[in-house]
Structure formats: structure tokens, C-alpha cells
Amino acid sequence: MSLYVDIEKTLGAFHLRAQFESGAQTLALLGASGCGKSMTLKCIAGIETPDAGRIALDGRVLFDSAAHINLSPQRRRVGYLFQQYALFPNMTVFQNIATGAHARHKARRRESVAEKLAMLRLSDIAHLRPHQLSGGQQQRVALARILASEPQAILLDEPFSALDSYLKWQLELELSDALAAFHGVRMWVSHDRDEIFRNCGEICIMEEGKTQPVREKHALFDSPGTVGAARLSGCKNYAAARPASIPRHVTLPEWNLCLETEEDVPPDICQVGIRVHSLRLCEPGAPNAIPCTVARAVEDVLSVILMLRVQGALPGAPLLRFELPKAQWQGDSAAFCIQICPKDILLLG
């Protein structure tokens, strides 16, 4: 089962250009709010129509502007899990799920609904209406309705965007279990990199309406390649960079530093990224040591976030974010050193 997308759509000054292919693994569209993620899903589902391009699901063409093909949403066999689940408020759980199986004969429809109720642990509440359900129950009902339509693809549009962290975690586990038995195409849209990492195997970064090539998630986090991808993957520290005269070294002019890298430094490098968790305390003179002083300390729940000024840095140079467990922070702003391993320096174009 595969999904092929190559589409364009213009909305005022915004231009969507989405191009990717999804296979057996859950594919994430990861990007900031307003970058075009939901619009892409709506084009796949047939809710919106692209200006140009082609969409094919397992070889079956859903949309092709050149061939004048544009299947209706009902014929696409694509299930769309909306952010607010979009359940019918005056219908029971059973009736909501039955709307997904409307194309079947009555007897088969009841049988299909009963199967989905049992699969998603909803049998005991089949008589209730949406306002009587918890958030997790509503989500399972919406997913059961999608599965009852026997889709070839399921699209998840920011499924936990309006939930508190505890409820979100519970629903995420339940949704993951429910999707485990589905063997069609799965796409997950979110701006939450942790949520994406836990639930998806491949990631397509989207910025300002344009998609980047699909990457395996570990490869993307280990080597994001661009500043935009690094930011979306959670990197907090950046500095302007250029190749050093020594092989496998990079110069950071604003910090007046030269650091060793594990890989050859590309000639078109413009910045380096340094993840907070890659930094360690070290002794002065250690390899890739960065001498610093504390410009600001911010107490968090379990740690202290230190904004560090690199010694010898130019005026206005970016501060370096570092975190320490509270037990290790003595409130001392004296100079100390941190270090970054060569393999952990992100070389960004």
C-alpha cells in the first residue's frame, strides 16, 4: 500500500507545493502552524481541490489535473480523523459508527459496527451520545467510524492539539493501539516533534507550504541538514559557521571558536546546531571545550536552564542554552566549561 502526492495550490499569497510518497511506515508531516500541513491532508481526502498535480493511492488515481480526474471524498477510501473528531451530536455511538458503513447492506452494516465496537472497547457505551463520552472515548468512536468505511488510508490531523499533557498521553497510547491493526497508509500531521517521534517511522518536514524529502526519523534527528529541520526537531542552539582551514573543523566567528567535527564540513555550511542534551560539563582544555559564564539562570520544574555567554564571543553573539539538574546547580555564575562531542555538532546548510 502506498500514497503518492505531487500537488500545488495557491491561496492568496500562500503557495502550497507538496511532493512525497508514503509506504508501509506511518509518515509524519512535521511543521509549524500555518505551513500547509492540514491543507495537504484535505487535498488528499478530497475536501479541498489542488490547482494542479496528482494524487494516487495504491496505484488508484484520486486526483490528476492533467487527466481531469477528481474523485469525490466518498470514493477515495480515505479516512480523515479531524482535530475535534466531528461526531454527530444527536446520534449514539452505534449510529455514529454506522454512518461509516453506510455503503453496506443493513445486516452487514450491523455486523461491521459490532466488530468495530468490540475492537475499540466501545460495546458498553454503544447507546451513549458524544456529550456523554470522555475525550478518549470520542476519539475511539471517530476512529471506529473511519475503520467501518474500510479505508485504504487514515489521515490524522493534529489529533491531540487541544488536550492537556496527561490526557494527551492517555489518548496517544489508545490511538497507537487502535492503529496497530490497520495495514493501510497512515499519515500523522503535527507540530509536536516528540509526538511524531513516538508514533511515526518516516518524517516529511514542511516549511512555508513546501515539503522536504521524506527521511527516516532517526536519520532526520541525527542529521537534519537545514536550520528549519533542526528547529522542528527540537534543536535550541545555533551559531553562524564556516569551514576551518583544518579538515573536519568548523569555525564559529561570533563565538570565536573552532570545533572539531566527525564529518567533513561542507563548503556551503551556514550554521551549526547544538542540542541541549549533547552538552556536558568538562575541565578547561578538554577537546571541544567551550568556556562560558552564566548570563541568566531560569528555574524549571526539575532543572535549571542556564543561558551562557561564550567567553571571547563578539558583542551580540547568541547565548548558549544549557540545562543542569537542580541538585547540581549551586547558583554560582563563575566561569566554567562545557563540551560538545564532534559527532553531535549538526552541520546545517
Side-chain angles (χ1 to χ4, degrees), residues 41-64:
L41 291 196
K42 290 175 181 177
C43 288
I44 296 169
I47 300 168
E48 295 282 350
T49 301
D51 297 332
R54 190 172 189 270
I55 303 171
L57 178 58
D58 203 29
R60 185 169 57 93
V61 178
L62 308 184
F63 173 82
D64 190 322

Side-chain angles (χ1 to χ4, degrees), residues 86-306:
L87 300 177
F88 297 107
N90 296 324
M91 291 186 180
T92 65
V93 168
F94 187 99
Q95 292 167 335
N96 264 282
I97 298 173
T99 63
H102 63 87
R104 295 181 179 79
H105 293 298
K106 187 174 181 179
R108 177 59 186 131
R109 188 184 311 160
R110 294 187 65 86
E111 183 180 330
S112 175
V113 173
E115 289 174 356
K116 301 306 179 290
L117 287 168
M119 176 192 302
L120 294 171
R121 307 188 311 281
L122 296 167
S123 300
D124 293 342
I125 59 171
H127 62 289
L128 299 181
R129 286 178 166 75
H131 74 275
Q132 298 172 295
L133 307 178
S134 68
Q137 290 169 333
Q138 289 183 33
Q139 186 184 74
R140 295 206 306 274
V141 173
L143 185 59
R145 183 174 62 185
I146 289 172
L147 293 173
S149 68
E150 296 188 351
Q152 292 181 318
I154 292 179
L155 313 179
L156 308 166
D157 190 0
E158 300 269 10
F160 313 119
S161 60
L163 303 176
D164 63 71
S165 58
Y166 176 77
L167 181 58
K168 174 180 174 178
W169 176 246
Q170 296 301 311
L171 296 190
E172 185 178 324
L173 293 177
E174 292 183 5
L175 181 59
S176 178
D177 290 342
L179 288 174
F182 179 72
H183 301 297
V185 171
R186 291 161 293 184
M187 283 192 63
W188 193 305
V189 155
S190 181
H191 61 271
D192 186 327
R193 57 101 192 219
D194 294 333
E195 176 187 308
I196 288 298
F197 191 88
R198 290 190 295 266
N199 294 284
C200 303
E202 295 181 321
I203 299 175
C204 179
I205 295 289
M206 194 166 207
E207 289 188 279
E208 298 180 346
K210 186 175 181 180
T211 55
Q212 296 182 15
V214 174
R215 304 272 304 277
E216 192 276 331
K217 67 178 179 183
H218 293 97
L220 175 66
F221 278 76
D222 290 344
S223 182
T226 67
V227 174
R231 290 191 191 281
L232 288 168
S233 69
C235 185
K236 298 290 195 300
N237 295 306
Y238 301 90
R242 62 171 183 254
S245 57
I246 310 170
R248 295 195 175 183
H249 281 71
V250 63
T251 297
L252 312 180
E254 294 174 300
W255 287 343
N256 195 26
L257 287 175
C258 182
L259 299 176
E260 181 184 0
T261 63
E262 185 175 66
E263 301 176 356
D264 292 332
V265 178
D268 60 346
I269 187 174
C270 64
Q271 292 198 54
V272 297
I274 298 176
R275 298 191 188 277
V276 173
H277 68 261
S278 298
L279 294 167
R280 300 287 185 272
L281 292 171
C282 70
E283 296 296 325
N288 275 8
I290 305 174
C292 301
T293 56
V294 178
R296 184 176 181 182
V298 180
E299 184 180 8
D300 207 349
V301 178
L302 300 175
S303 64
V304 176
I305 301 169
L306 303 177

Side-chain angles (χ1 to χ4, degrees), residues 294-326:
V294 178
R296 184 176 181 182
V298 180
E299 184 180 8
D300 207 349
V301 178
L302 300 175
S303 64
V304 176
I305 301 169
L306 303 177
M307 302 306 298
L308 305 177
R309 181 172 289 107
V310 177
Q311 291 186 13
L314 299 178
L319 299 178
L320 187 60
R321 176 169 170 157
F322 180 54
E323 296 184 18
L324 276 176
K326 285 186 177 180

